[in-house]
Amino acid sequence: MLADEIKQFLHGDVEADDATLTKYSRDYSIFKVRPQVVVFPKDVDDLKALVKFVAQKKAAGEDISLTGRSAGTDMTGGPLTQGIVVEFAKYFNHIKQISDIPPELPSSAMAKVRIAQDGVEDAGFAVVEPGVYFRDLEKELTAKGLLYPAFPASKDLCALGGMVNNNSGGEKTLAYGKTENYVRELSLVMADGEDHAIKPLAGDELKAKLAEPGFEGNLYRNLYKLINDNYDAIKAAKPDVSKNSAGYYLWNVYDRETGVFDLTRLIVGSQGTFGLLHEAKLGVVKLKKHSRLCVVFLKDLTWAADLVELVLPFKPESIESYDDKTMEVAVKLWRQVLGSMKGNIFSLGFQFLPEVFMVLRGGMPKMIMLIEITGDDEEKLVDELAKLGGSIKEFAKTHAGIQVRELRNEKEEQKYWTIRRESFALLHGNMRGKDTAPFIDDFIVKPEYMMEVLPKVNAILDKYKKDLIYTIAGHPGNGNFHIIPLMNLSDPRVRALIPVISDEVYKVILQYHGSITAEHNDGIIRTPFLEEMYGPKITALFAETKKLCDPLDMFNPGKKVGGTMKYSEDHISASAS
Ligand SMILES: Cc1cc2nc3c(=O)[nH]c(=O)nc-3n(C[C@H](O)[C@H](O)[C@H](O)COP(=O)(O)OP(=O)(O)OC[C@H]3O[C@@H](n4cnc5c(N)ncnc54)[C@H](O)[C@@H]3O)c2cc1C
């Protein structure tokens, strides 16, 4: 048995019982894929031994592979496999260092390049293992007045390994960017079964690396050639949106003008398809001491894009939104919502009364927009909030259907944040006879196209309203929307709609030069659409890149490269909850 063979050499644990395999067959996607075995490695030697073991078997023609998994909150099927799951949350869960001194870079020129590219200056850094839950890192950073700003809405559930491998982003991405903007160094065990510390290189260091013998030198040489040979096509392929998690980000690796070659930019967001990540050094920023929230209720979507444009000069840290259906679900499931909020359930319950009355009167706004501003000087911030609120009220005088509330304290804010962050988790498993079906859950277009694109997407979904209802939440500041259909996945006819609707929606998104995924990544659900998004030349370069990094296709096969619609359709679970 495979598990017995692995037990011979692994210091960590090996499980192949039915309960374990069933648990690891699922993430938060619509898929169910049963692994052969789940391993819980204890140290880097375990990772090296696993890769060497699998490489030997692969070379002998066996169908075997390794798929990393941290917290398993992926919505794409990314951590699901028929091979070996390598679980990092059990043992690789240490915060190794937190510093309030910015990380050293190989050269000051490189620091300037990075700040120019990312628009952020590090106030410090954290060195973490992949199984560290974000909530634990957040606690420690907050105590030191620091913030890792590229966290997802799943911040209380997910871990750093998945955040790096999915290139996660969230409510603060508008102001601070995504995970790719904070990765300073990554350590992973790659296809040669050895540990590699990857960081940006330039000048003599890059020259030395390109001349190095062995797997790493070879990889740098080959990738350098691949990027140089296809330089213009690769740069032109970069999606014209503020955030993207689709494909391999070849355009970010090398820049002829700056001379910086940064392989971390390829590994971030690669869904574990290049190796097993065991350590990440991440930049962090200074935490602003105070925040204030302005809540805007829009009766319809007519003015949503204009409103975003109006508030952007106030430099909000977040512009988030959710729709009437999300609010209705939150009102229906208010007990669970309150469970996610800290405090006395009874007194919190009263906070929902205005929304309950709104639902009863049928007057629920179509979109609820949250605009957050932050600062260190509370008095100044309160002034800013009044100006922001005043300017929206002025706008509302000439644009119908807009109401605004300036919230005075954090307690009041909590309800809105909980609904926004927990909307998917709330729907998941709580709607009788309907499963959450994230498959068009993360598209993005430039914000100026948002009001053309949303009605077109709604019109597509409305054609199928006999079989689905859906909620919309998102990041209108970036033009990024999370549409979560609720459908009966036990019905094969309904399951068959998933590829059909995906195709129709993505055609619209790509007409507007958007991306099929801004944050959640490709996984099983979107890998088959990458060619439609990038065209055959760039997808062939993705395949070549994968081959250079992982010649035996050992790491998370079928994600990013080689995934088919048939595999995707065959593995949709008859029940997503
Ligand atoms: C309620 C909810 C809300 C969400 N909101 C957001 C959001 O706002 N923004 C966003 O970006 N995402 C969001 N997500 C998706 C998901 O939570 C994030 O992408 C998260 O960062 C994944 O972290 P994880 O540790 O759970 O990753 P996992 O699910 O464990 O893994 C994610 C991917 O990384 C790979 N991987 C993980 N660890 C390793 C490792 N050590 N080595 C190699 N490969 C590895 C896996 O194979 C998989 O492909 C949401 C999910 C839920 C359930």
Side-chain angles (χ1 to χ4, degrees), residues 118 134 148-152 159-170 173 176-184 186 243-245 249 264-265 268-269 280-283 518-519:
D118 297 344
F134 178 75
Y148 178 80
F151 59 81
L160 272 303
M163 288 168 65
V164 169
N165 274 290
N166 273 351
N167 189 14
S168 286
T173 290
Y176 291 101
K178 294 215 306 171
T179 296
E180 63 189 342
N181 304 113
Y182 294 89
V183 168
R184 305 294 168 241
L186 294 175
K243 49 186 193 170
N244 168 51
S245 272
Y249 326 133
T264 68
R265 297 275 181 154
V268 66
K281 184 175 189 175
L282 304 169
E519 323 176 312

Side-chain angles (χ1 to χ4, degrees), residues 103-179:
E104 254 178 56
L105 278 166
S107 73
S108 62
M110 206 182 286
K112 279 193 198 129
V113 167
R114 206 191 54 219
I115 291 163
Q117 273 176 350
D118 297 344
V120 281
E121 206 167 336
D122 293 340
F125 64 89
V127 179
V128 293
E129 290 184 328
V132 170
Y133 283 95
F134 178 75
R135 56 180 185 255
D136 297 331
L137 177 67
E138 185 183 36
K139 234 179 264 160
E140 293 205 19
L141 288 175
T142 305
K144 290 185 159 59
L146 297 168
L147 167 77
Y148 178 80
F151 59 81
S154 51
K155 76 202 247 316
D156 292 330
L157 307 170
C158 72
L160 272 303
M163 288 168 65
V164 169
N165 274 290
N166 273 351
N167 189 14
S168 286
E171 66 201 37
K172 293 196 188 295
T173 290
L174 177 68
Y176 291 101
K178 294 215 306 171
T179 296

Side-chain angles (χ1 to χ4, degrees), residues 27-28 67-75 78-79 88 130 152-154 157-163 165-170 271-272 275-278 421 424-425 475 482 519-520 556:
D27 53 6
Y28 277 76
T67 292
R69 177 174 176 123
S70 291
T73 67
D74 192 291
M75 291 167 81
F88 284 88
S154 51
L157 307 170
C158 72
L160 272 303
M163 288 168 65
N165 274 290
N166 273 351
N167 189 14
S168 286
Q271 291 206 300
L276 298 172
L277 178 83
H278 65 84
R421 289 178 188 142
F424 177 73
H475 315 277
H482 303 310
E519 323 176 312
H520 296 175
N556 211 5

Side-chain angles (χ1 to χ4, degrees), residues 383-428:
D383 267 8
E384 273 291 289
L385 182 72
K387 279 186 201 146
L388 172 64
S391 145
I392 299 171
K393 280 173 197 152
E394 236 358 85
F395 183 81
K397 282 183 190 163
T398 48
H399 299 77
I402 297 173
Q403 286 180 49
V404 59
R405 278 193 66 202
E406 297 148 34
L407 303 191
R408 303 270 161 219
N409 60 54
E410 270 191 22
K411 215 169 147 196
E412 259 193 295
E413 292 175 10
Q414 212 192 343
K415 174 179 73 180
Y416 295 101
W417 282 124
T418 303
I419 297 169
R420 169 62 191 90
R421 289 178 188 142
E422 306 282 327
S423 53
F424 177 73
L426 272 173
L427 292 169
H428 194 72

Side-chain angles (χ1 to χ4, degrees), residues 97-103 122-126 141 144-146 284 286:
Q97 193 184 356
I98 292 182
S99 167
D100 54 8
I101 299 168
D122 293 340
F125 64 89
L141 288 175
K144 290 185 159 59
L146 297 168
V284 296
K286 223 170 137 280

